[in-house]
mmCIF file of all heavy atoms in Angstrom:
data_model
loop_
_atom_site.group_PDB
_atom_site.id
_atom_site.type_symbol
_atom_site.label_atom_id
_atom_site.label_comp_id
_atom_site.label_asym_id
_atom_site.label_seq_id
_atom_site.Cartn_x
_atom_site.Cartn_y
_atom_site.Cartn_z
ATOM 1 N N ASN M 799 -6.355 -1.436 -15.767
ATOM 2 C CA ASN M 799 -5.574 -1.929 -16.932
ATOM 3 C C ASN M 799 -4.251 -2.314 -16.457
ATOM 4 O O ASN M 799 -3.934 -2.063 -15.238
ATOM 5 C CB ASN M 799 -5.559 -1.020 -18.152
ATOM 6 C CG ASN M 799 -4.984 0.403 -17.789
ATOM 7 O OD1 ASN M 799 -3.856 0.532 -17.150
ATOM 8 N ND2 ASN M 799 -5.581 1.375 -18.222
ATOM 9 N N LYS M 800 -3.224 -2.610 -17.202
ATOM 10 C CA LYS M 800 -1.910 -3.100 -16.717
ATOM 11 C C LYS M 800 -1.114 -1.873 -16.234
ATOM 12 O O LYS M 800 -0.033 -2.093 -15.481
ATOM 13 C CB LYS M 800 -1.217 -3.900 -17.683
ATOM 14 C CG LYS M 800 -0.802 -3.245 -18.988
ATOM 15 C CD LYS M 800 -0.144 -4.141 -19.888
ATOM 16 C CE LYS M 800 0.064 -3.563 -21.232
ATOM 17 N NZ LYS M 800 0.779 -4.567 -22.094
ATOM 18 N N TYR M 801 -1.555 -0.682 -16.409
ATOM 19 C CA TYR M 801 -0.828 0.437 -16.033
ATOM 20 C C TYR M 801 -1.344 1.296 -14.826
ATOM 21 O O TYR M 801 -0.626 1.979 -14.301
ATOM 22 C CB TYR M 801 -0.585 1.384 -17.268
ATOM 23 C CG TYR M 801 0.136 0.820 -18.310
ATOM 24 C CD1 TYR M 801 -0.563 0.457 -19.550
ATOM 25 C CD2 TYR M 801 1.537 0.438 -18.297
ATOM 26 C CE1 TYR M 801 0.113 -0.051 -20.482
ATOM 27 C CE2 TYR M 801 2.210 -0.121 -19.331
ATOM 28 C CZ TYR M 801 1.435 -0.442 -20.476
ATOM 29 O OH TYR M 801 2.054 -1.042 -21.476
ATOM 30 N N PHE M 802 -2.622 1.042 -14.509
ATOM 31 C CA PHE M 802 -3.229 1.939 -13.439
ATOM 32 C C PHE M 802 -4.362 1.152 -12.611
ATOM 33 O O PHE M 802 -5.082 0.399 -13.236
ATOM 34 C CB PHE M 802 -3.950 3.129 -14.258
ATOM 35 C CG PHE M 802 -4.673 3.990 -13.288
ATOM 36 C CD1 PHE M 802 -3.891 4.931 -12.386
ATOM 37 C CD2 PHE M 802 -6.173 3.905 -13.049
ATOM 38 C CE1 PHE M 802 -4.604 5.721 -11.522
ATOM 39 C CE2 PHE M 802 -6.584 4.763 -12.105
ATOM 40 C CZ PHE M 802 -6.019 5.647 -11.431
ATOM 41 N N GLY M 803 -4.227 1.566 -11.371
ATOM 42 C CA GLY M 803 -5.231 0.741 -10.429
ATOM 43 C C GLY M 803 -5.331 1.829 -9.329
ATOM 44 O O GLY M 803 -4.763 2.893 -9.095
ATOM 45 N N LEU M 804 -6.327 1.434 -8.277
ATOM 46 C CA LEU M 804 -6.702 2.077 -7.069
ATOM 47 C C LEU M 804 -6.543 1.067 -5.900
ATOM 48 O O LEU M 804 -6.977 -0.143 -6.139
ATOM 49 C CB LEU M 804 -8.052 2.603 -7.112
ATOM 50 C CG LEU M 804 -8.301 3.849 -7.906
ATOM 51 C CD1 LEU M 804 -9.800 4.254 -7.817
ATOM 52 C CD2 LEU M 804 -7.463 5.025 -7.435
ATOM 53 N N GLU M 805 -6.065 1.491 -4.826
ATOM 54 C CA GLU M 805 -5.945 0.581 -3.754
ATOM 55 C C GLU M 805 -6.519 1.202 -2.385
ATOM 56 O O GLU M 805 -6.237 2.409 -2.205
ATOM 57 C CB GLU M 805 -4.483 0.274 -3.376
ATOM 58 C CG GLU M 805 -3.908 -0.629 -4.351
ATOM 59 C CD GLU M 805 -2.391 -1.003 -4.026
ATOM 60 O OE1 GLU M 805 -1.865 -0.488 -3.135
ATOM 61 O OE2 GLU M 805 -1.950 -1.906 -4.712
ATOM 62 N N ALA M 806 -7.327 0.464 -1.653
ATOM 63 C CA ALA M 806 -7.725 1.016 -0.272
ATOM 64 C C ALA M 806 -6.878 0.043 0.579
ATOM 65 O O ALA M 806 -6.641 -1.151 0.474
ATOM 66 C CB ALA M 806 -9.212 0.612 -0.099
ATOM 67 N N GLN M 807 -6.336 0.742 1.642
ATOM 68 C CA GLN M 807 -5.203 0.074 2.407
ATOM 69 C C GLN M 807 -5.356 0.342 3.791
ATOM 70 O O GLN M 807 -5.685 1.465 4.160
ATOM 71 C CB GLN M 807 -3.832 0.645 1.850
ATOM 72 C CG GLN M 807 -2.670 -0.002 2.624
ATOM 73 C CD GLN M 807 -1.416 0.365 1.887
ATOM 74 O OE1 GLN M 807 -1.330 0.409 0.775
ATOM 75 N NE2 GLN M 807 -0.304 0.651 2.771
ATOM 76 N N TYR M 808 -5.400 -0.596 4.702
ATOM 77 C CA TYR M 808 -5.295 -0.400 6.061
ATOM 78 C C TYR M 808 -3.974 -0.966 6.590
ATOM 79 O O TYR M 808 -3.431 -1.960 6.173
ATOM 80 C CB TYR M 808 -6.233 -1.388 6.880
ATOM 81 C CG TYR M 808 -6.090 -1.508 8.326
ATOM 82 C CD1 TYR M 808 -6.491 -0.279 9.199
ATOM 83 C CD2 TYR M 808 -5.383 -2.570 8.975
ATOM 84 C CE1 TYR M 808 -6.271 -0.327 10.526
ATOM 85 C CE2 TYR M 808 -5.287 -2.528 10.352
ATOM 86 C CZ TYR M 808 -5.705 -1.387 11.090
ATOM 87 O OH TYR M 808 -5.426 -1.483 12.418
ATOM 88 N N THR M 809 -3.305 -0.078 7.285
ATOM 89 C CA THR M 809 -1.927 -0.284 7.844
ATOM 90 C C THR M 809 -1.819 -0.308 9.372
ATOM 91 O O THR M 809 -2.404 0.739 9.961
ATOM 92 C CB THR M 809 -0.884 0.710 7.240
ATOM 93 O OG1 THR M 809 -0.937 0.600 5.826
ATOM 94 C CG2 THR M 809 0.526 0.374 7.701
ATOM 95 N N HIS M 810 -1.234 -1.277 9.997
ATOM 96 C CA HIS M 810 -0.997 -1.267 11.386
ATOM 97 C C HIS M 810 0.606 -1.136 11.426
ATOM 98 O O HIS M 810 1.219 -2.040 11.159
ATOM 99 C CB HIS M 810 -1.477 -2.516 12.138
ATOM 100 C CG HIS M 810 -1.308 -2.429 13.618
ATOM 101 N ND1 HIS M 810 -0.173 -2.613 14.161
ATOM 102 C CD2 HIS M 810 -2.210 -2.037 14.510
ATOM 103 C CE1 HIS M 810 -0.397 -2.589 15.481
ATOM 104 N NE2 HIS M 810 -1.617 -2.188 15.694
ATOM 105 N N PHE M 811 1.141 -0.028 12.017
ATOM 106 C CA PHE M 811 2.513 0.215 12.035
ATOM 107 C C PHE M 811 3.207 -0.354 13.358
ATOM 108 O O PHE M 811 4.410 -0.311 13.478
ATOM 109 C CB PHE M 811 2.765 1.717 11.951
ATOM 110 C CG PHE M 811 2.545 2.379 10.693
ATOM 111 C CD1 PHE M 811 1.323 3.042 10.495
ATOM 112 C CD2 PHE M 811 3.230 2.148 9.559
ATOM 113 C CE1 PHE M 811 0.957 3.648 9.297
ATOM 114 C CE2 PHE M 811 2.992 2.772 8.388
ATOM 115 C CZ PHE M 811 1.681 3.531 8.260
ATOM 116 N N GLY M 812 2.267 -0.936 14.132
ATOM 117 C CA GLY M 812 2.985 -1.574 15.303
ATOM 118 C C GLY M 812 2.846 -0.624 16.504
ATOM 119 O O GLY M 812 2.183 0.487 16.560
ATOM 120 N N SER M 813 3.643 -0.906 17.522
ATOM 121 C CA SER M 813 3.599 -0.031 18.710
ATOM 122 C C SER M 813 4.927 0.650 18.894
ATOM 123 O O SER M 813 6.077 -0.031 18.741
ATOM 124 C CB SER M 813 3.415 -0.946 19.948
ATOM 125 O OG SER M 813 3.320 -0.150 21.039
ATOM 126 N N VAL M 814 5.026 1.923 19.198
ATOM 127 C CA VAL M 814 6.248 2.643 19.544
ATOM 128 C C VAL M 814 6.259 3.201 20.871
ATOM 129 O O VAL M 814 5.221 3.373 21.432
ATOM 130 C CB VAL M 814 6.366 3.877 18.532
ATOM 131 C CG1 VAL M 814 6.557 3.415 17.107
ATOM 132 C CG2 VAL M 814 5.235 4.859 18.531
ATOM 133 N N ALA M 815 7.389 3.236 21.508
ATOM 134 C CA ALA M 815 7.605 3.645 22.920
ATOM 135 C C ALA M 815 8.058 5.174 22.862
ATOM 136 O O ALA M 815 9.005 5.540 22.250
ATOM 137 C CB ALA M 815 8.568 2.782 23.655
ATOM 138 N N PHE M 816 7.302 5.954 23.795
ATOM 139 C CA PHE M 816 7.700 7.406 23.840
ATOM 140 C C PHE M 816 8.607 7.482 25.012
ATOM 141 O O PHE M 816 8.731 6.651 25.931
ATOM 142 C CB PHE M 816 6.431 8.198 24.059
ATOM 143 C CG PHE M 816 5.611 8.311 22.838
ATOM 144 C CD1 PHE M 816 4.817 7.431 22.489
ATOM 145 C CD2 PHE M 816 5.773 9.549 22.032
ATOM 146 C CE1 PHE M 816 3.945 7.590 21.299
ATOM 147 C CE2 PHE M 816 5.003 9.689 20.813
ATOM 148 C CZ PHE M 816 4.170 8.755 20.534
ATOM 149 N N GLN M 817 9.310 8.585 25.052
ATOM 150 C CA GLN M 817 10.340 8.864 26.245
ATOM 151 C C GLN M 817 9.565 8.936 27.649
ATOM 152 O O GLN M 817 10.067 8.722 28.543
ATOM 153 C CB GLN M 817 11.028 10.150 25.855
ATOM 154 C CG GLN M 817 12.113 9.983 24.858
ATOM 155 C CD GLN M 817 12.788 11.367 24.433
ATOM 156 O OE1 GLN M 817 12.303 12.508 24.927
ATOM 157 N NE2 GLN M 817 13.563 11.296 23.449
ATOM 158 N N SER M 818 8.268 9.370 27.527
ATOM 159 C CA SER M 818 7.372 9.433 28.804
ATOM 160 C C SER M 818 7.329 7.984 29.334
ATOM 161 O O SER M 818 6.941 7.866 30.557
ATOM 162 C CB SER M 818 6.015 9.955 28.488
ATOM 163 O OG SER M 818 5.475 9.056 27.599
ATOM 164 N N GLY M 819 7.591 6.884 28.749
ATOM 165 C CA GLY M 819 7.514 5.511 29.247
ATOM 166 C C GLY M 819 6.391 4.696 28.699
ATOM 167 O O GLY M 819 6.339 3.505 28.821
ATOM 168 N N ASN M 820 5.300 5.442 28.132
ATOM 169 C CA ASN M 820 4.186 4.583 27.564
ATOM 170 C C ASN M 820 4.462 4.273 26.151
ATOM 171 O O ASN M 820 5.239 4.833 25.500
ATOM 172 C CB ASN M 820 2.868 5.343 27.737
ATOM 173 C CG ASN M 820 2.615 6.566 26.911
ATOM 174 O OD1 ASN M 820 3.678 7.215 26.585
ATOM 175 N ND2 ASN M 820 1.402 6.774 26.540
ATOM 176 N N SER M 821 3.643 3.335 25.707
ATOM 177 C CA SER M 821 3.798 2.972 24.243
ATOM 178 C C SER M 821 2.369 3.139 23.644
ATOM 179 O O SER M 821 1.427 3.267 24.226
ATOM 180 C CB SER M 821 4.190 1.539 24.080
ATOM 181 O OG SER M 821 3.332 0.665 24.595
ATOM 182 N N SER M 822 2.411 3.394 22.249
ATOM 183 C CA SER M 822 1.087 3.659 21.507
ATOM 184 C C SER M 822 1.220 2.876 20.111
ATOM 185 O O SER M 822 2.139 2.952 19.521
ATOM 186 C CB SER M 822 1.097 5.061 21.415
ATOM 187 O OG SER M 822 -0.172 5.412 20.761
ATOM 188 N N ASN M 823 0.029 2.429 19.778
ATOM 189 C CA ASN M 823 -0.171 1.874 18.460
ATOM 190 C C ASN M 823 -0.469 2.971 17.417
ATOM 191 O O ASN M 823 -1.086 3.992 17.657
ATOM 192 C CB ASN M 823 -1.277 0.904 18.338
ATOM 193 C CG ASN M 823 -0.969 -0.422 19.151
ATOM 194 O OD1 ASN M 823 0.132 -0.975 18.930
ATOM 195 N ND2 ASN M 823 -1.900 -0.985 19.884
ATOM 196 N N ILE M 824 0.153 2.812 16.255
ATOM 197 C CA ILE M 824 -0.090 3.642 15.048
ATOM 198 C C ILE M 824 -0.740 2.841 13.968
ATOM 199 O O ILE M 824 -0.373 1.899 13.582
ATOM 200 C CB ILE M 824 1.155 4.289 14.520
ATOM 201 C CG1 ILE M 824 1.956 5.037 15.683
ATOM 202 C CG2 ILE M 824 0.893 5.179 13.363
ATOM 203 C CD1 ILE M 824 3.339 5.509 15.228
ATOM 204 N N THR M 825 -1.860 3.381 13.533
ATOM 205 C CA THR M 825 -2.682 2.795 12.490
ATOM 206 C C THR M 825 -2.970 3.869 11.439
ATOM 207 O O THR M 825 -2.783 5.027 11.677
ATOM 208 C CB THR M 825 -3.977 2.180 12.964
ATOM 209 O OG1 THR M 825 -4.783 3.159 13.498
ATOM 210 C CG2 THR M 825 -3.601 0.922 13.950
ATOM 211 N N GLY M 826 -3.434 3.334 10.206
ATOM 212 C CA GLY M 826 -3.754 4.162 9.157
ATOM 213 C C GLY M 826 -4.643 3.570 8.110
ATOM 214 O O GLY M 826 -4.530 2.388 7.907
ATOM 215 N N TYR M 827 -5.462 4.454 7.497
ATOM 216 C CA TYR M 827 -6.315 4.006 6.322
ATOM 217 C C TYR M 827 -5.806 4.922 5.087
ATOM 218 O O TYR M 827 -5.581 6.070 5.353
ATOM 219 C CB TYR M 827 -7.745 4.256 6.696
ATOM 220 C CG TYR M 827 -8.268 3.423 7.730
ATOM 221 C CD1 TYR M 827 -8.313 3.707 8.948
ATOM 222 C CD2 TYR M 827 -8.787 2.073 7.387
ATOM 223 C CE1 TYR M 827 -8.843 2.989 10.013
ATOM 224 C CE2 TYR M 827 -9.332 1.231 8.369
ATOM 225 C CZ TYR M 827 -9.417 1.627 9.658
ATOM 226 O OH TYR M 827 -9.769 0.978 10.648
ATOM 227 N N GLY M 828 -5.844 4.316 3.980
ATOM 228 C CA GLY M 828 -5.347 5.202 2.796
ATOM 229 C C GLY M 828 -6.159 4.655 1.624
ATOM 230 O O GLY M 828 -6.507 3.574 1.481
ATOM 231 N N LEU M 829 -6.289 5.609 0.658
ATOM 232 C CA LEU M 829 -6.828 5.453 -0.807
ATOM 233 C C LEU M 829 -5.643 5.992 -1.662
ATOM 234 O O LEU M 829 -5.408 7.063 -1.640
ATOM 235 C CB LEU M 829 -8.191 6.091 -0.987
ATOM 236 C CG LEU M 829 -8.788 5.850 -2.310
ATOM 237 C CD1 LEU M 829 -9.097 4.270 -2.402
ATOM 238 C CD2 LEU M 829 -9.999 6.524 -2.359
ATOM 239 N N ASN M 830 -5.180 5.048 -2.561
ATOM 240 C CA ASN M 830 -4.024 5.360 -3.345
ATOM 241 C C ASN M 830 -4.263 5.148 -4.810
ATOM 242 O O ASN M 830 -5.066 4.028 -5.146
ATOM 243 C CB ASN M 830 -2.912 4.569 -2.968
ATOM 244 C CG ASN M 830 -2.516 4.637 -1.611
ATOM 245 O OD1 ASN M 830 -2.250 5.889 -1.128
ATOM 246 N ND2 ASN M 830 -2.384 3.648 -0.675
#
Side-chain angles (χ1 to χ4, degrees):
N799 58 46
K800 63 183 175 180
Y801 300 109
F802 179 74
L804 286 177
E805 290 183 351
Q807 180 170 323
Y808 169 77
T809 304
H810 187 280
F811 293 100
S813 182
V814 293
F816 287 84
Q817 290 174 351
S818 60
N820 73 324
S821 62
S822 185
N823 286 318
I824 303 174
T825 59
Y827 294 92
L829 182 62
N830 300 309

